[in-house]
Amino acid sequence: MKRVFNFSPGPSMLPNVVMQKVQQDLLDWEGSGMSVMEISHRSDEFLALAHLAEENLIKLLNIPNDYAVLFLHGGASLQYSAIPLNLGKNNKADYIITGHWGQKSEREARKFTKTQIAVDTMAELRLPTQQELNLDPKADYVHFAHNETILGLEFNYVPNTQAVPLVADMSSNILSRPIDISKYSVIYAGAQKNISISGLGLVIAHRALIGKQKPNTPGLLSWKEMLDNECMLNTPSTFSWYMAGEVFKWLIAQGGLANMQKINEQKARLIYDFIDSNDFYHNPIEVNSRSVMNVAFTLADESLNNKFLEQAKEQGLTNLKGHALFGGMRASIYNAMPIEGVQALVNFMKSFAKKV
Ligand SMILES: *Cc1c(COP(=O)(O)O)cnc(C)c1O
């Protein structure tokens, strides 16, 4: 068997130890003689799993008591609708746009609220400054994508929105480092990058904001109904939930998020320093706005792109093709990517540049 270093942006690489545990559990989970996929979500065994996953997540992110944790359906994108439905009293909301996902969330939210663009720096490949944010004190919330996965652009500060609830899409950087939860009102993420496999949408929301949903909000989109029913209004994505629990245990065993931050910053430095050291590769993002999780880069000679991808694959370095919107390459280096994988990529990039 040969595992490659998989740089896929999502669904993404999972830690080998977690995959081995899953394999071991597959036919006989915890002595039950069944797979976790084959048991009721309302069984004592599954409820214990769900509680432990929540407890470990609370521990990892240091989530205060006045926040609720919800394991929901529909990945990140279903929350684009859930957010205006749950937070819409004045029927207007501010959106900070720094890339594709911010844009997409704003377009979807238009169906349920009047969206206002607080700032749009997407074309400039940089973060806005706090001073550039044109915020409406009467907005129901301010939304931003904490890490723009396609361009590889990540917030290095928390926008100050005064009394207006701050909502962060952290799909591609949650659990990559410690964060101060109390600076946000709502954090949400799809699971398939840094949490688990696809299917789940994780929401961490201040309890004071729960219960204000618009009338006729579908039950599965209502944070209140989901919270009241332990996120089991219907059958949840049980396998994704189980995998999330295994990833949380793995993160705790790694020394928690402070240690992940150290490793992740080391990985990012390794690749950005190399890209910046030569003219063969180029990263176009303003230096202070660069993502620790997704590193986009172009080759000076674009006609070499296919050759680069083919040879990388031969070396066991896969899924480096950039998003169609940006072109070029992108290395997604989430928690599960070991530093050896990034070192192997940099070594390959060096030798490729030398050979051609
Ligand atoms: C991947 C991604 C999404 C979409 O996630 P889904 O779970 O597929 O809906 C949204 N936002 C960001 C920042 C992402 O990286």
Side-chain angles (χ1 to χ4, degrees), residues 241-292:
W241 202 330
Y242 153 79
M243 290 282 286
E246 292 305 319
V247 169
F248 300 158
K249 286 183 208 164
W250 175 77
L251 286 170
I252 289 171
Q254 300 307 299
L257 301 191
N259 199 43
M260 292 319 297
Q261 175 173 28
K262 240 186 268 168
I263 300 167
N264 286 328
E265 284 176 357
Q266 234 177 329
K267 279 153 46 182
R269 208 173 313 121
L270 199 59
I271 184 161
Y272 283 120
D273 281 355
F274 172 65
I275 290 171
D276 290 344
S277 72
N278 66 78
D279 296 326
F280 194 90
Y281 301 102
H282 176 64
N283 173 283
I285 307 297
E286 191 262 328
V287 174
N288 293 315
S289 309
R290 284 173 169 178
S291 168
V292 172

Side-chain angles (χ1 to χ4, degrees), residues 167-241:
V167 178
D169 176 357
M170 293 194 75
S171 293
S172 48
N173 65 345
I174 193 161
L175 298 169
S176 65
R177 59 189 162 89
I179 47 170
D180 182 353
I181 300 281
S182 69
K183 293 202 166 138
Y184 306 83
S185 291
V186 179
I187 290 170
Y188 70 101
Q192 65 277 15
K193 284 145 194 173
N194 240 352
I195 299 173
S196 178
I197 55 172
S198 62
L200 275 184
L202 180 73
V203 170
I204 302 166
H206 198 283
R207 290 182 191 274
L209 293 170
I210 296 182
K212 302 180 186 219
Q213 66 284 349
K214 291 183 174 150
N216 301 328
T217 297
L220 291 173
L221 291 178
S222 160
W223 297 337
K224 166 86 174 134
E225 275 188 65
M226 289 305 269
L227 182 63
D228 288 350
N229 289 280
E230 296 202 63
C231 302
M232 294 185 188
L233 201 56
N234 72 333
T235 314
S237 300
T238 53
F239 198 70
S240 183
W241 202 330

Side-chain angles (χ1 to χ4, degrees), residues 7 41 83 92 94 120 164 180 190 198 236 239 282 307 330-331:
F7 294 89
H41 54 295
I83 290 158
K92 50 181 179 168
D94 284 342
D120 183 347
V164 179
D180 182 353
S198 62
F239 198 70
H282 176 64
K307 199 169 168 189
R330 172 175 46 168

Side-chain angles (χ1 to χ4, degrees), residues 83-147:
I83 290 158
L85 284 168
N86 283 277
L87 299 177
K89 74 179 184 300
N90 294 338
N91 266 312
K92 50 181 179 168
D94 284 342
Y95 279 75
I96 297 170
I97 312 289
T98 54
H100 170 77
W101 293 111
Q103 205 173 53
K104 250 190 121 166
S105 55
E106 186 270 325
R107 287 189 182 150
E108 186 68 7
R110 276 184 209 167
K111 294 174 184 170
F112 306 100
T113 191
K114 178 177 164 267
T115 60
Q116 311 173 131
I117 308 296
V119 70
D120 183 347
T121 56
M122 180 168 171
E124 295 162 53
L125 305 177
R126 66 168 180 95
L127 295 170
T129 63
Q130 173 71 41
Q131 290 70 34
E132 287 176 290
L133 306 180
N134 181 17
L135 301 177
D136 178 351
K138 294 258 164 51
D140 287 326
Y141 60 88
V142 179
H143 178 282
F144 76 117
H146 209 294
N147 182 60

